[in-house]
Structure formats: C-alpha cells, structure tokens
Amino acid sequence: MSMYHPQGLLRPRMTALCAQESIYNLLPRVEEKPVKLPRYISTFRPSVKHEIEESRAPWKTMGPAKIEVPSPKNFLQKHSKEPKLLQRKQDEGRKRMLTIPPVPHVTDHPLMGIQSKKNFMNTNAANVIMGVAKKPQPICVDRRQGDKYLLETSGLVPKYINKKDYGLTPTYVIKRNEEVKKAQEEYDAYVKETLRQKAMKRLSDEERESLLQGLKKNWEEVHHEFQGLSVEIDTLPKKIHKQRLETQMKQLEHDINTIEKHKIIYIANK
C-alpha cells in the first residue's frame, strides 16, 4: 500500500504562491511599447497624383457638375407618353363622304318585277358547243410509278434553239469587243509614237563637218589660253587653272578623234 507525504501534495501549490509573491514582482515595471516603423511614402507620389488629375476625364462617373433641373410646372401628366395619331383633315373626310352613296330613305321602294328573258341553259350549251376545246398541257412521265411533270419546263423541249438570236453574239459582247479593240489601237499608236520620238537620228555630213570644225576651234582657243600661262606655277589657283585647261583639251581631242574616226553618227533623242 503506497502512502503520499503531505508535503508532496502541497509542493505545486507552494511553487505557484512563491512565484506570485516574489520580491522581484514588487518592483515597478516599465511597459515597453513596440516601436512602429514609419509608413512608406514614395518620392514619386506628387508627380503621379498630378498626372492622374490631369488625365482624369470630367463628368465620367457622376455626370455633369451642373444640370438644368426640370421645372415643377412641367410635371409628368397622364397619357403624355402614349403615341398620338395624326389628326385627319376635314377635307379628307368630306371627300370620303361624297364617294359613299347616301342611305336610302324610308319612303323609297326598290324596283320590283324586273325579270330577264335570257335562257341561261341554252346560252351555256351554245358556249360549250361552239367553244374551242382546251388543249391539255404536255407532260412527261419518267418513272413507272406514274410521277409526271410539265414537259415545257423540264428542259427536254428544244425551245431556245428555235429563237431568232440563237447562236448569235450578244450586243453587249460586240460593244465590249469594239471598245477593247479601240483601246488596243490607241495604246499601239501611243507606243509607236513614243518609239519614234526616242529613235536615233542620223547626223548629216554638213552637220558632222560643222561640229568637227567647232570642236577644233574650241581646242585652238583653249590651247592658246594654255600657251599664255606663266612658266612658274607656284600658287594653288594657277595649278587648278592649268589642270582645268588640260582636262578641256583632252576632252576636245577625244571628241575630235571620235568624230574623225566614224563617218556615220547617230544621235539618240532623250
């Protein structure tokens, strides 16, 4: 049989009392509040706010700022929104009354005793005897069950080949072909004229001789100017002038040799 010490049962309770009545608990404690960090504010907040204010469209969600309020005198009346019929003019009603015959009077009596002497039976019999019999419509049967249809609309009757204009070219096609032919002739004439204008022209003997004499005369003038240059070429303008004269003389000599070498010369029109 097991036994428990009385101090063993009181040990947890004593521990709790000692924890509450500790001398350290008598000292006043300073409550430490948690330090709250400052809220983050972007440096671009003013510029973004300015851009939003500029790009915001007015009256987009709440409507216009000021609107004319309806007057209390113009209140909604009964049957004001129902569709209204157009009023009929008096002239139209008067015309209609003139076309309708008047109502017979009480004292008016219809005509009585009018009889026709026409014999409808003999008339109908004569019309049947003298009338032309109605021709039956031609039909076509293509199945043994007896299915039939009209022969005229079946496409089996040669109806179109008996027309007067069958096999002839339509008028609009002839007109179109003439227009195409005329346009082709105009284009050919334009091309021919263009080639004639751009064709090369042969230079005659007189023109060739005059051109040759003119080139030789120009060469003599340039050569005379070249001979008049100073012996000492010591400045840049003098060198440039001498090179220009030499270039002109070489070009003139080349043109003269080309014309003297070829007796027949063609000139292309630009």
Side-chain angles (χ1 to χ4, degrees):
M1 183 173 180
S2 60
M3 295 179 64
Y4 296 95
H5 196 274
Q7 293 182 359
L9 296 174
L10 297 176
R11 186 173 295 175
R13 188 174 180 182
M14 293 294 292
T15 306
L17 290 174
C18 293
Q20 294 178 0
E21 295 180 1
S22 176
I23 191 173
Y24 294 103
N25 294 335
L26 298 176
L27 297 176
R29 293 185 178 181
V30 180
E31 295 182 2
E32 295 182 0
K33 295 182 179 181
V35 180
K36 189 176 181 180
L37 299 177
R39 184 180 178 182
Y40 173 76
I41 299 176
S42 177
T43 55
F44 302 101
R45 183 177 181 181
S47 60
V48 173
K49 188 175 181 180
H50 181 67
E51 290 179 1
I52 293 174
E53 290 293 337
E54 287 184 349
S55 62
R56 181 178 298 172
W59 308 348
K60 194 167 185 180
T61 56
M62 302 300 294
K66 294 182 180 180
I67 188 171
E68 186 178 357
V69 181
S71 176
K73 297 181 180 180
N74 301 330
F75 57 89
L76 182 63
Q77 299 181 0
K78 187 177 181 180
H79 305 293
S80 61
K81 292 190 176 181
E82 293 181 357
K84 296 181 181 180
L85 299 176
L86 297 175
Q87 295 182 358
R88 187 174 61 181
K89 297 181 180 179
Q90 296 182 359
D91 297 340
E92 295 179 358
R94 188 178 300 173
K95 290 180 181 178
R96 185 177 180 184
M97 292 298 293
L98 293 175
T99 56
I100 299 175
V103 179
H105 201 263
V106 179
T107 59
D108 295 342
H109 298 284
L111 298 175
M112 305 295 290
I114 299 176
Q115 296 181 0
S116 176
K117 296 180 180 180
K118 183 178 180 180
N119 192 346
F120 290 95
M121 295 178 63
N122 295 336
T123 303
N124 293 338
N127 292 336
V128 171
I129 294 170
M130 300 300 293
V132 181
K134 186 178 180 181
K135 293 183 180 181
Q137 291 183 348
I139 59 176
C140 178
V141 179
D142 60 347
R143 298 179 64 185
R144 61 184 180 180
Q145 282 82 3
D147 298 337
K148 58 184 179 180
Y149 52 88
L150 296 177
L151 186 63
E152 185 178 359
T153 58
S154 63
L156 302 175
V157 180
K159 182 170 57 175
Y160 295 99
I161 60 175
N162 296 328
K163 289 187 175 182
K164 294 181 180 180
D165 56 349
Y166 177 78
L168 301 178
T169 307
T171 308
Y172 73 93
V173 177
I174 296 174
K175 185 177 179 181
R176 181 175 178 81
N177 292 338
E178 291 178 355
E179 293 177 355
V180 172
K181 185 177 179 181
K182 184 178 179 180
Q184 185 66 30
E185 290 177 355
E186 292 178 355
Y187 176 74
D188 294 342
Y190 169 74
V191 172
K192 187 175 180 180
E193 181 66 21
T194 304
L195 294 176
R196 187 185 64 80
Q197 293 178 359
K198 293 183 178 181
M200 292 186 296
K201 178 183 177 182
R202 181 178 177 179
L203 199 65
S204 61
D205 296 339
E206 292 80 6
E207 294 175 348
R208 175 178 173 277
E209 187 64 28
S210 62
L211 179 61
L212 186 60
Q213 295 298 329
L215 291 174
K216 289 182 178 180
K217 185 178 180 181
N218 292 339
W219 183 88
E220 290 177 357
E221 293 177 357
V222 175
H223 184 264
H224 178 72
E225 187 177 357
F226 181 78
Q227 292 293 334
L229 293 175
S230 60
V231 179
E232 187 178 359
I233 307 298
D234 52 352
T235 60
L236 183 60
K238 292 182 179 180
K239 292 181 181 180
I240 294 174
H241 184 56
K242 180 181 178 182
Q243 292 176 0
R244 183 174 59 82
L245 294 177
E246 290 177 350
T247 304
Q248 291 182 1
M249 290 174 63
K250 290 181 180 179
Q251 184 64 35
L252 290 171
E253 290 175 359
H254 178 266
D255 295 341
I256 291 171
N257 294 333
T258 302
I259 294 175
E260 289 179 348
K261 184 178 180 181
H262 301 89
K263 301 296 182 181
I264 299 174
I265 300 174
Y266 288 93
I267 300 175
N269 295 328
K270 295 184 180 180

